[in-house]
Amino acid sequence: MALWQGRSHRKPTGGILRSNRGKRKFEVGSEAHETTIGKQKIKQVRTTGGGKKVKIAVAEIANVTDPKTGKTQKVKIKSVVQNAANPHYVRRNIVTKGAIVETEAGKAKVTSRPGQDGTVNAVKTE
């Protein structure tokens, strides 16, 4: 279902605001892609101006950087340990920016936005 991001039909005082036109296609938004853990699935979405945005529906691998050595390696994600965005995301294994995930290399904090960037980048934590 699409999300309408146009102007409200209400005034700041609470009264009804009579619009002089209807809804427009450029005012339609999309629902957030909640990236889960499993076999990787990628979705491409057309943006305004004909560009493309890559969204990860299901992630399997994360690019984990070790801050001490500065080296980055591809590591398999096991589960979500903590998610500040929503505590229920931990139970559902949803990866967002700021989530702490358990990987084969240890715990790592996600620094990218998987639903927007198309990759899961993370920094190893102690």
Side-chain angles (χ1 to χ4, degrees):
M1 191 171 124
L3 299 171
W4 184 55
Q5 295 178 331
R7 196 168 160 193
S8 174
H9 289 302
R10 292 278 176 184
K11 295 188 226 177
T13 57
I16 293 175
L17 190 66
R18 302 285 182 197
S19 181
N20 60 348
R21 67 169 179 82
K23 296 177 183 177
R24 297 290 188 264
K25 175 94 165 56
F26 60 81
E27 293 173 341
V28 174
S30 61
E31 291 184 27
H33 273 265
E34 295 176 338
T35 305
T36 56
I37 297 171
K39 193 171 185 304
Q40 190 142 331
K41 283 186 194 170
I42 294 172
K43 189 172 185 180
Q44 279 193 342
V45 181
R46 184 189 181 274
T47 60
T48 311
K52 285 193 172 74
K53 188 181 279 189
V54 179
K55 299 184 176 201
I56 292 187
V58 184
E60 185 177 28
I61 295 168
N63 302 318
V64 179
T65 304
D66 190 357
K68 292 178 183 173
T69 60
K71 293 190 176 180
T72 304
Q73 57 183 357
K74 286 189 175 186
V75 182
K76 196 167 188 169
I77 303 170
K78 292 181 181 176
S79 66
V80 177
V81 178
Q82 184 183 349
N83 199 326
N86 191 333
H88 299 296
Y89 283 1
V90 176
R91 196 177 337 156
R92 293 166 58 196
N93 272 340
I94 293 176
V95 182
T96 58
K97 184 177 179 179
I100 295 173
V101 292
E102 182 67 43
T103 64
E104 291 176 343
K107 290 183 182 178
K109 187 174 185 177
V110 179
T111 56
S112 65
R113 298 171 69 190
Q116 299 272 341
D117 301 338
T119 58
V120 180
N121 296 330
V123 176
K124 195 172 178 181
T125 58
E126 293 303 315

PDB file of all heavy atoms in Angstrom, residues 82-110:
ATOM      1  N   GLN A  82      20.677  -6.549  19.339  1.00  0.00           N
ATOM      2  CA  GLN A  82      20.061  -5.350  19.915  1.00  0.00           C
ATOM      3  C   GLN A  82      19.685  -4.412  18.784  1.00  0.00           C
ATOM      4  O   GLN A  82      20.391  -4.314  17.781  1.00  0.00           O
ATOM      5  CB  GLN A  82      21.057  -4.670  20.865  1.00  0.00           C
ATOM      6  CG  GLN A  82      20.515  -3.476  21.586  1.00  0.00           C
ATOM      7  CD  GLN A  82      21.588  -2.807  22.448  1.00  0.00           C
ATOM      8  OE1 GLN A  82      22.671  -3.355  22.646  1.00  0.00           O
ATOM      9  NE2 GLN A  82      21.291  -1.646  22.940  1.00  0.00           N
ATOM     10  N   ASN A  83      18.539  -3.730  18.929  1.00  0.00           N
ATOM     11  CA  ASN A  83      18.115  -2.756  17.939  1.00  0.00           C
ATOM     12  C   ASN A  83      17.452  -1.592  18.656  1.00  0.00           C
ATOM     13  O   ASN A  83      16.379  -1.751  19.251  1.00  0.00           O
ATOM     14  CB  ASN A  83      17.152  -3.390  16.920  1.00  0.00           C
ATOM     15  CG  ASN A  83      17.050  -2.581  15.664  1.00  0.00           C
ATOM     16  OD1 ASN A  83      17.122  -1.364  15.703  1.00  0.00           O
ATOM     17  ND2 ASN A  83      16.881  -3.256  14.544  1.00  0.00           N
ATOM     18  N   ALA A  84      18.092  -0.423  18.598  1.00  0.00           N
ATOM     19  CA  ALA A  84      17.590   0.750  19.301  1.00  0.00           C
ATOM     20  C   ALA A  84      16.344   1.328  18.641  1.00  0.00           C
ATOM     21  O   ALA A  84      15.555   2.014  19.284  1.00  0.00           O
ATOM     22  CB  ALA A  84      18.679   1.817  19.377  1.00  0.00           C
ATOM     23  N   ALA A  85      16.141   1.040  17.347  1.00  0.00           N
ATOM     24  CA  ALA A  85      14.984   1.572  16.629  1.00  0.00           C
ATOM     25  C   ALA A  85      13.681   1.012  17.193  1.00  0.00           C
ATOM     26  O   ALA A  85      12.705   1.747  17.333  1.00  0.00           O
ATOM     27  CB  ALA A  85      15.090   1.259  15.135  1.00  0.00           C
ATOM     28  N   ASN A  86      13.671  -0.273  17.528  1.00  0.00           N
ATOM     29  CA  ASN A  86      12.465  -0.910  18.039  1.00  0.00           C
ATOM     30  C   ASN A  86      12.882  -2.208  18.738  1.00  0.00           C
ATOM     31  O   ASN A  86      13.514  -3.061  18.117  1.00  0.00           O
ATOM     32  CB  ASN A  86      11.508  -1.219  16.881  1.00  0.00           C
ATOM     33  CG  ASN A  86      10.137  -1.646  17.347  1.00  0.00           C
ATOM     34  OD1 ASN A  86       9.968  -2.185  18.431  1.00  0.00           O
ATOM     35  ND2 ASN A  86       9.145  -1.419  16.504  1.00  0.00           N
ATOM     36  N   PRO A  87      12.523  -2.381  20.008  1.00  0.00           N
ATOM     37  CA  PRO A  87      12.932  -3.602  20.713  1.00  0.00           C
ATOM     38  C   PRO A  87      12.317  -4.872  20.124  1.00  0.00           C
ATOM     39  O   PRO A  87      12.884  -5.950  20.248  1.00  0.00           O
ATOM     40  CB  PRO A  87      12.448  -3.379  22.146  1.00  0.00           C
ATOM     41  CG  PRO A  87      11.511  -2.236  22.095  1.00  0.00           C
ATOM     42  CD  PRO A  87      11.825  -1.447  20.890  1.00  0.00           C
ATOM     43  N   HIS A  88      11.175  -4.765  19.431  1.00  0.00           N
ATOM     44  CA  HIS A  88      10.542  -5.929  18.820  1.00  0.00           C
ATOM     45  C   HIS A  88      11.286  -6.392  17.564  1.00  0.00           C
ATOM     46  O   HIS A  88      11.064  -7.509  17.102  1.00  0.00           O
ATOM     47  CB  HIS A  88       9.082  -5.636  18.485  1.00  0.00           C
ATOM     48  CG  HIS A  88       8.271  -5.289  19.696  1.00  0.00           C
ATOM     49  ND1 HIS A  88       8.045  -6.175  20.729  1.00  0.00           N
ATOM     50  CD2 HIS A  88       7.654  -4.140  20.060  1.00  0.00           C
ATOM     51  CE1 HIS A  88       7.311  -5.601  21.667  1.00  0.00           C
ATOM     52  NE2 HIS A  88       7.052  -4.361  21.282  1.00  0.00           N
ATOM     53  N   TYR A  89      12.144  -5.546  16.997  1.00  0.00           N
ATOM     54  CA  TYR A  89      12.925  -5.918  15.817  1.00  0.00           C
ATOM     55  C   TYR A  89      13.939  -7.015  16.138  1.00  0.00           C
ATOM     56  O   TYR A  89      14.347  -7.758  15.261  1.00  0.00           O
ATOM     57  CB  TYR A  89      13.659  -4.705  15.246  1.00  0.00           C
ATOM     58  CG  TYR A  89      12.785  -3.755  14.448  1.00  0.00           C
ATOM     59  CD1 TYR A  89      11.433  -3.975  14.278  1.00  0.00           C
ATOM     60  CD2 TYR A  89      13.327  -2.630  13.860  1.00  0.00           C
ATOM     61  CE1 TYR A  89      10.644  -3.108  13.543  1.00  0.00           C
ATOM     62  CE2 TYR A  89      12.555  -1.755  13.118  1.00  0.00           C
ATOM     63  CZ  TYR A  89      11.211  -1.994  12.964  1.00  0.00           C
ATOM     64  OH  TYR A  89      10.443  -1.142  12.234  1.00  0.00           O
ATOM     65  N   VAL A  90      14.348  -7.125  17.398  1.00  0.00           N
ATOM     66  CA  VAL A  90      15.320  -8.142  17.798  1.00  0.00           C
ATOM     67  C   VAL A  90      14.698  -9.528  17.640  1.00  0.00           C
ATOM     68  O   VAL A  90      15.305 -10.439  17.091  1.00  0.00           O
ATOM     69  CB  VAL A  90      15.780  -7.928  19.256  1.00  0.00           C
ATOM     70  CG1 VAL A  90      16.718  -9.033  19.703  1.00  0.00           C
ATOM     71  CG2 VAL A  90      16.454  -6.580  19.394  1.00  0.00           C
ATOM     72  N   ARG A  91      13.469  -9.679  18.093  1.00  0.00           N
ATOM     73  CA  ARG A  91      12.771 -10.960  18.012  1.00  0.00           C
ATOM     74  C   ARG A  91      12.506 -11.359  16.559  1.00  0.00           C
ATOM     75  O   ARG A  91      12.551 -12.525  16.205  1.00  0.00           O
ATOM     76  CB  ARG A  91      11.437 -10.848  18.763  1.00  0.00           C
ATOM     77  CG  ARG A  91      10.815 -12.166  19.084  1.00  0.00           C
ATOM     78  CD  ARG A  91       9.541 -12.022  19.886  1.00  0.00           C
ATOM     79  NE  ARG A  91       9.451 -10.775  20.605  1.00  0.00           N
ATOM     80  CZ  ARG A  91       8.304 -10.222  20.989  1.00  0.00           C
ATOM     81  NH1 ARG A  91       7.164 -10.792  20.677  1.00  0.00           N
ATOM     82  NH2 ARG A  91       8.286  -9.100  21.652  1.00  0.00           N
ATOM     83  N   ARG A  92      12.232 -10.360  15.716  1.00  0.00           N
ATOM     84  CA  ARG A  92      11.920 -10.617  14.305  1.00  0.00           C
ATOM     85  C   ARG A  92      13.169 -10.610  13.417  1.00  0.00           C
ATOM     86  O   ARG A  92      13.059 -10.785  12.212  1.00  0.00           O
ATOM     87  CB  ARG A  92      10.928  -9.564  13.806  1.00  0.00           C
ATOM     88  CG  ARG A  92       9.567  -9.686  14.466  1.00  0.00           C
ATOM     89  CD  ARG A  92       8.697  -8.469  14.233  1.00  0.00           C
ATOM     90  NE  ARG A  92       8.497  -8.207  12.819  1.00  0.00           N
ATOM     91  CZ  ARG A  92       8.041  -7.051  12.344  1.00  0.00           C
ATOM     92  NH1 ARG A  92       7.754  -6.060  13.155  1.00  0.00           N
ATOM     93  NH2 ARG A  92       7.883  -6.887  11.049  1.00  0.00           N
ATOM     94  N   ASN A  93      14.362 -10.370  14.004  1.00  0.00           N
ATOM     95  CA  ASN A  93      15.643 -10.324  13.280  1.00  0.00           C
ATOM     96  C   ASN A  93      15.625  -9.297  12.155  1.00  0.00           C
ATOM     97  O   ASN A  93      16.014  -9.583  11.026  1.00  0.00           O
ATOM     98  CB  ASN A  93      16.026 -11.699  12.736  1.00  0.00           C
ATOM     99  CG  ASN A  93      16.802 -12.509  13.741  1.00  0.00           C
ATOM    100  OD1 ASN A  93      17.370 -11.969  14.691  1.00  0.00           O
ATOM    101  ND2 ASN A  93      16.841 -13.812  13.564  1.00  0.00           N
ATOM    102  N   ILE A  94      15.172  -8.082  12.453  1.00  0.00           N
ATOM    103  CA  ILE A  94      15.143  -7.005  11.465  1.00  0.00           C
ATOM    104  C   ILE A  94      16.378  -6.132  11.655  1.00  0.00           C
ATOM    105  O   ILE A  94      16.677  -5.676  12.758  1.00  0.00           O
ATOM    106  CB  ILE A  94      13.848  -6.175  11.587  1.00  0.00           C
ATOM    107  CG1 ILE A  94      12.659  -7.045  11.177  1.00  0.00           C
ATOM    108  CG2 ILE A  94      13.919  -4.926  10.739  1.00  0.00           C
ATOM    109  CD1 ILE A  94      11.326  -6.412  11.334  1.00  0.00           C
ATOM    110  N   VAL A  95      17.103  -5.911  10.546  1.00  0.00           N
ATOM    111  CA  VAL A  95      18.347  -5.145  10.563  1.00  0.00           C
ATOM    112  C   VAL A  95      18.067  -3.722  10.095  1.00  0.00           C
ATOM    113  O   VAL A  95      17.554  -3.514   9.003  1.00  0.00           O
ATOM    114  CB  VAL A  95      19.404  -5.795   9.638  1.00  0.00           C
ATOM    115  CG1 VAL A  95      20.704  -5.030   9.682  1.00  0.00           C
ATOM    116  CG2 VAL A  95      19.623  -7.246  10.015  1.00  0.00           C
ATOM    117  N   THR A  96      18.407  -2.746  10.934  1.00  0.00           N
ATOM    118  CA  THR A  96      18.327  -1.329  10.573  1.00  0.00           C
ATOM    119  C   THR A  96      19.644  -0.671  10.964  1.00  0.00           C
ATOM    120  O   THR A  96      20.505  -1.306  11.575  1.00  0.00           O
ATOM    121  CB  THR A  96      17.171  -0.616  11.310  1.00  0.00           C
ATOM    122  OG1 THR A  96      17.376  -0.757  12.720  1.00  0.00           O
ATOM    123  CG2 THR A  96      15.820  -1.192  10.929  1.00  0.00           C
ATOM    124  N   LYS A  97      19.789   0.606  10.618  1.00  0.00           N
ATOM    125  CA  LYS A  97      20.996   1.331  11.006  1.00  0.00           C
ATOM    126  C   LYS A  97      21.039   1.454  12.529  1.00  0.00           C
ATOM    127  O   LYS A  97      20.032   1.782  13.160  1.00  0.00           O
ATOM    128  CB  LYS A  97      21.009   2.721  10.377  1.00  0.00           C
ATOM    129  CG  LYS A  97      22.279   3.488  10.676  1.00  0.00           C
ATOM    130  CD  LYS A  97      22.312   4.828  10.005  1.00  0.00           C
ATOM    131  CE  LYS A  97      23.583   5.560  10.366  1.00  0.00           C
ATOM    132  NZ  LYS A  97      23.673   6.856   9.716  1.00  0.00           N
ATOM    133  N   GLY A  98      22.184   1.157  13.106  1.00  0.00           N
ATOM    134  CA  GLY A  98      22.346   1.228  14.557  1.00  0.00           C
ATOM    135  C   GLY A  98      22.108  -0.104  15.250  1.00  0.00           C
ATOM    136  O   GLY A  98      22.359  -0.227  16.446  1.00  0.00           O
ATOM    137  N   ALA A  99      21.627  -1.102  14.523  1.00  0.00           N
ATOM    138  CA  ALA A  99      21.385  -2.420  15.119  1.00  0.00           C
ATOM    139  C   ALA A  99      22.711  -3.122  15.375  1.00  0.00           C
ATOM    140  O   ALA A  99      23.656  -2.994  14.610  1.00  0.00           O
ATOM    141  CB  ALA A  99      20.522  -3.261  14.191  1.00  0.00           C
ATOM    142  N   ILE A 100      22.764  -3.880  16.461  1.00  0.00           N
ATOM    143  CA  ILE A 100      23.948  -4.675  16.769  1.00  0.00           C
ATOM    144  C   ILE A 100      23.634  -6.117  16.372  1.00  0.00           C
ATOM    145  O   ILE A 100      22.664  -6.701  16.857  1.00  0.00           O
ATOM    146  CB  ILE A 100      24.329  -4.570  18.253  1.00  0.00           C
ATOM    147  CG1 ILE A 100      24.730  -3.129  18.560  1.00  0.00           C
ATOM    148  CG2 ILE A 100      25.459  -5.532  18.595  1.00  0.00           C
ATOM    149  CD1 ILE A 100      24.981  -2.820  19.992  1.00  0.00           C
ATOM    150  N   VAL A 101      24.454  -6.642  15.447  1.00  0.00           N
ATOM    151  CA  VAL A 101      24.228  -7.990  14.918  1.00  0.00           C
ATOM    152  C   VAL A 101      25.352  -8.924  15.342  1.00  0.00           C
ATOM    153  O   VAL A 101      26.486  -8.499  15.524  1.00  0.00           O
ATOM    154  CB  VAL A 101      24.105  -7.985  13.369  1.00  0.00           C
ATOM    155  CG1 VAL A 101      22.848  -7.277  12.923  1.00  0.00           C
ATOM    156  CG2 VAL A 101      25.322  -7.366  12.718  1.00  0.00           C
ATOM    157  N   GLU A 102      24.995 -10.192  15.517  1.00  0.00           N
ATOM    158  CA  GLU A 102      25.974 -11.235  15.831  1.00  0.00           C
ATOM    159  C   GLU A 102      26.425 -11.835  14.500  1.00  0.00           C
ATOM    160  O   GLU A 102      25.614 -12.322  13.722  1.00  0.00           O
ATOM    161  CB  GLU A 102      25.341 -12.315  16.713  1.00  0.00           C
ATOM    162  CG  GLU A 102      26.294 -13.416  17.122  1.00  0.00           C
ATOM    163  CD  GLU A 102      27.396 -12.947  18.046  1.00  0.00           C
ATOM    164  OE1 GLU A 102      27.111 -12.169  18.971  1.00  0.00           O
ATOM    165  OE2 GLU A 102      28.556 -13.369  17.835  1.00  0.00           O
ATOM    166  N   THR A 103      27.742 -11.755  14.242  1.00  0.00           N
ATOM    167  CA  THR A 103      28.303 -12.298  13.002  1.00  0.00           C
ATOM    168  C   THR A 103      29.330 -13.377  13.347  1.00  0.00           C
ATOM    169  O   THR A 103      29.615 -13.614  14.519  1.00  0.00           O
ATOM    170  CB  THR A 103      28.984 -11.193  12.170  1.00  0.00           C
ATOM    171  OG1 THR A 103      30.097 -10.677  12.906  1.00  0.00           O
ATOM    172  CG2 THR A 103      28.023 -10.076  11.839  1.00  0.00           C
ATOM    173  N   GLU A 104      29.875 -13.994  12.305  1.00  0.00           N
ATOM    174  CA  GLU A 104      30.909 -15.006  12.525  1.00  0.00           C
ATOM    175  C   GLU A 104      32.191 -14.384  13.065  1.00  0.00           C
ATOM    176  O   GLU A 104      32.994 -15.055  13.700  1.00  0.00           O
ATOM    177  CB  GLU A 104      31.191 -15.756  11.225  1.00  0.00           C
ATOM    178  CG  GLU A 104      30.038 -16.637  10.792  1.00  0.00           C
ATOM    179  CD  GLU A 104      30.264 -17.312   9.455  1.00  0.00           C
ATOM    180  OE1 GLU A 104      31.153 -16.866   8.706  1.00  0.00           O
ATOM    181  OE2 GLU A 104      29.539 -18.275   9.164  1.00  0.00           O
ATOM    182  N   ALA A 105      32.380 -13.081  12.843  1.00  0.00           N
ATOM    183  CA  ALA A 105      33.566 -12.374  13.340  1.00  0.00           C
ATOM    184  C   ALA A 105      33.320 -11.741  14.705  1.00  0.00           C
ATOM    185  O   ALA A 105      34.197 -11.100  15.258  1.00  0.00           O
ATOM    186  CB  ALA A 105      33.978 -11.298  12.340  1.00  0.00           C
ATOM    187  N   GLY A 106      32.122 -11.881  15.257  1.00  0.00           N
ATOM    188  CA  GLY A 106      31.763 -11.274  16.533  1.00  0.00           C
ATOM    189  C   GLY A 106      30.648 -10.263  16.356  1.00  0.00           C
ATOM    190  O   GLY A 106      30.009 -10.190  15.301  1.00  0.00           O
ATOM    191  N   LYS A 107      30.418  -9.474  17.411  1.00  0.00           N
ATOM    192  CA  LYS A 107      29.345  -8.477  17.346  1.00  0.00           C
ATOM    193  C   LYS A 107      29.776  -7.274  16.519  1.00  0.00           C
ATOM    194  O   LYS A 107      30.931  -6.856  16.582  1.00  0.00           O
ATOM    195  CB  LYS A 107      28.952  -8.028  18.747  1.00  0.00           C
ATOM    196  CG  LYS A 107      28.235  -9.092  19.541  1.00  0.00           C
ATOM    197  CD  LYS A 107      27.811  -8.564  20.888  1.00  0.00           C
ATOM    198  CE  LYS A 107      27.139  -9.643  21.704  1.00  0.00           C
ATOM    199  NZ  LYS A 107      26.760  -9.185  23.036  1.00  0.00           N
ATOM    200  N   ALA A 108      28.814  -6.707  15.785  1.00  0.00           N
ATOM    201  CA  ALA A 108      29.096  -5.552  14.930  1.00  0.00           C
ATOM    202  C   ALA A 108      27.889  -4.636  14.905  1.00  0.00           C
ATOM    203  O   ALA A 108      26.744  -5.087  14.968  1.00  0.00           O
ATOM    204  CB  ALA A 108      29.443  -6.010  13.520  1.00  0.00           C
ATOM    205  N   LYS A 109      28.160  -3.330  14.820  1.00  0.00           N
ATOM    206  CA  LYS A 109      27.092  -2.324  14.753  1.00  0.00           C
ATOM    207  C   LYS A 109      26.901  -1.898  13.303  1.00  0.00           C
ATOM    208  O   LYS A 109      27.856  -1.513  12.627  1.00  0.00           O
ATOM    209  CB  LYS A 109      27.459  -1.114  15.613  1.00  0.00           C
ATOM    210  CG  LYS A 109      26.347  -0.101  15.737  1.00  0.00           C
ATOM    211  CD  LYS A 109      26.700   0.992  16.716  1.00  0.00           C
ATOM    212  CE  LYS A 109      25.524   1.920  16.911  1.00  0.00           C
ATOM    213  NZ  LYS A 109      25.807   2.956  17.897  1.00  0.00           N
ATOM    214  N   VAL A 110      25.657  -1.934  12.820  1.00  0.00           N
ATOM    215  CA  VAL A 110      25.343  -1.611  11.431  1.00  0.00           C
ATOM    216  C   VAL A 110      25.431  -0.103  11.238  1.00  0.00           C
ATOM    217  O   VAL A 110      24.840   0.675  11.988  1.00  0.00           O
ATOM    218  CB  VAL A 110      23.938  -2.131  11.051  1.00  0.00           C
ATOM    219  CG1 VAL A 110      23.593  -1.768   9.623  1.00  0.00           C
ATOM    220  CG2 VAL A 110      23.859  -3.627  11.252  1.00  0.00           C
TER     221      VAL A 110
END
